[in-house]
Amino acid sequence: MKILVTGASGQLGHAIILQKPKQHQILCPSRNELDLSDELSCKKYIEFNKPDLIINCGAYTNVDLAEKEKEICLAINTSAPLTFAKILKDYGGNLLQISTDYVFDGKQNFAYKENDKKNPISQYGYSKAKAEELLEKFLKPTNQLIILRTSWLLGPTGNNFLVKILNLHKTKKELFVVSDQIGTMSSTFDVAKICWEIISKWNYISEHNYINHWTCSGISSWYDIAINIGDIAQKYKILDYPAKVNPIKTENYSTLAKRPIFSLLDCEKTSIVLDIICKYWQHELEMIISKIANR
Ligand SMILES: NC(=O)c1ccc[n+]([C@@H]2O[C@H](COP(=O)([O-])OP(=O)(O)OC[C@H]3O[C@@H](n4cnc5c(N)ncnc54)[C@H](OP(=O)(O)O)[C@@H]3O)[C@@H](O)[C@H]2O)c1
């Protein structure tokens, strides 16, 4: 298959490219070749290249800045996949849309299932939820769509929480990290693997389980993850001593965007369909940090 990976320079896109099965031909255009904020650029690229499948990892992911840059966030996260969908519909290509726990409001206190009501509380969440809704309308009836929601993506590179906290452990004696937002991390390696598994079972999944959830297993706060990052980094000799991590409440850590207080995704259905068990978050965090230590 000819597969277009958008956002290939991002943390998930990069992991997807690294795990590409040999039989596929991959297109991973730069932002100059395919600008997701430009409808004409999206239209021209897809019409010219006609990929059999698009893995849409490209996104406006700065959750706070999105509150100020609503239009650009909507253009990249909602209009671009919609443009793809309209063209894919014509010639029969498929779309794997990467989405997020931020489509939910976090008011639940048990894990979100695939068909639970979406109610985003940020512009970023709104842009991703709206994309899901529009894509469903165009591509679901013909089984050309699979949505994969994940949460708290961490990998060894990119502008993510793990990389930031690791640097803070190296440079500060004390950190303050939010302890009342609850969810689960996901690793870029693991989510990339699931993308390829889903693609290999496209016909069944697009028909029977077109919305999927995938994260690590277990439950944690950002505070728990920050402590673990310090301890594991010390074990792998990336640090002499971790910084002291102090818990703080969301209300005392001001950000432009609201974030769901509870955003655990229930991955059971996807786990059954793919016959794969989610990896425990601390083990996956250790695997990522060991890769950082060995490079
Ligand atoms: N990060 C998380 O915690 C998280 C959680 C749940 C779901 N997700 C979803 O997972 C997917 C991958 O996220 P990620 O963390 O890998 O994102 P990321 O590291 O921030 O990468 C975003 C990618 O999108 C590209 N991009 C942004 N604007 C573009 C534009 N106008 N034209 C072309 N490319 C553009 C970036 O290209 P440049 O390198 O040129 O900027 C980059 O390759 C996204 O759909 C995101 O919504 C993320």
Side-chain angles (χ1 to χ4, degrees):
M1 271 199 286
K2 184 166 34 164
I3 299 181
L4 164 62
V5 180
T6 68
S9 59
Q11 51 170 350
L12 179 59
H14 182 66
I16 287 174
I17 305 284
L18 284 179
Q19 294 183 32
K20 164 197 114 60
K22 282 200 185 83
Q23 70 268 27
H24 300 306
Q25 178 202 342
I26 299 288
L27 304 173
C28 43
S30 67
R31 197 187 271 244
N32 285 340
E33 295 165 293
L34 170 61
D35 181 354
L36 297 172
S37 67
D38 177 351
E39 193 180 333
L40 192 61
S41 167
C42 293
K43 198 164 177 290
K44 276 187 180 167
Y45 191 89
I46 305 302
E47 282 176 348
F48 182 76
N49 290 287
K50 290 198 169 44
D52 301 303
L53 184 130
I54 301 174
I55 310 177
N56 190 30
C57 295
Y60 184 108
T61 54
N62 188 326
V63 177
D64 288 311
L65 203 54
E67 296 298 309
K68 286 189 177 163
E69 298 189 340
K70 291 175 198 170
E71 280 80 21
I72 182 97
C73 174
L74 273 174
I76 295 171
N77 290 356
T78 315
S79 306
L82 178 62
T83 302
F84 295 162
K86 288 177 180 167
I87 305 165
L88 289 169
K89 182 88 195 163
D90 278 348
Y91 73 87
N94 294 330
L95 176 61
L96 174 56
Q97 169 72 1
I98 309 299
S99 196
T100 167
D101 54 326
Y102 281 23
V103 300
F104 298 117
D105 59 18
K107 291 186 178 146
Q108 220 164 265
N109 57 8
F110 49 93
Y112 283 94
K113 290 197 187 289
E114 294 78 359
N115 290 317
D116 281 343
K117 191 176 175 301
K118 288 176 273 195
N119 186 27
I121 55 173
S122 63
Q123 287 300 324
Y124 166 76
Y126 173 80
S127 69
K128 300 292 284 188
K130 191 74 192 166
E132 288 190 7
E133 184 190 314
L134 295 169
L135 296 176
E136 278 166 3
K137 204 171 109 194
F138 273 91
L139 297 179
K140 171 54 198 143
T142 41
N143 297 334
Q144 288 172 273
L145 173 68
I146 294 179
I147 292 168
L148 176 62
R149 293 190 194 124
T150 183
S151 67
W152 301 16
L153 260 179
L154 305 180
T157 55
N159 187 27
N160 66 47
F161 181 81
L162 164 56
V163 173
K164 282 185 206 155
I165 292 289
L166 193 53
N167 284 332
L168 290 173
H169 272 296
K170 285 180 186 165
T171 53
K172 305 263 182 213
K173 286 206 158 61
E174 219 176 347
L175 313 179
F176 294 86
V177 182
V178 169
S179 62
D180 59 355
Q181 285 170 31
I182 305 297
T184 310
M185 61 158 274
S186 311
S187 97
T188 51
F189 299 107
D190 192 39
V191 176
K193 182 178 159 212
I194 291 304
C195 287
W196 290 117
E197 286 291 332
I198 285 175
I199 290 167
S200 72
K201 300 188 168 113
W202 187 276
N203 291 346
Y204 182 83
I205 296 175
S206 61
E207 191 175 348
H208 298 285
N209 195 48
Y210 79 99
I211 303 178
N212 289 266
H213 286 174
W214 199 260
T215 66
C216 288
S217 61
I219 184 164
S220 71
S221 67
W222 291 113
Y223 165 74
D224 298 320
I225 299 177
I227 289 187
N228 274 267
I229 291 171
D231 291 347
I232 299 168
Q234 185 182 30
K235 178 174 162 188
Y236 283 86
K237 301 193 181 348
I238 299 173
L239 301 170
D240 289 335
Y241 297 103
K244 179 173 189 287
V245 184
N246 299 293
I248 51 166
K249 288 198 184 307
T250 300
E251 65 194 39
N252 298 325
Y253 183 75
S254 144
T255 53
L256 283 175
K258 282 191 195 160
R259 286 159 171 80
I261 279 290
F262 182 90
S263 66
L264 201 70
L265 297 176
D266 185 332
C267 303
E268 192 184 352
K269 249 176 108 182
T270 302
S271 181
I272 292 169
V273 170
L274 294 179
D275 194 21
I276 299 178
I277 294 170
C278 295
K279 295 178 176 156
Y280 182 57
W281 72 269
Q282 283 173 325
H283 297 164
E284 206 56 10
L285 187 64
E286 178 155 351
M287 183 276 293
I288 300 170
I289 294 175
S290 72
K291 283 198 186 290
I292 294 175
N294 290 326
R295 71 183 173 205

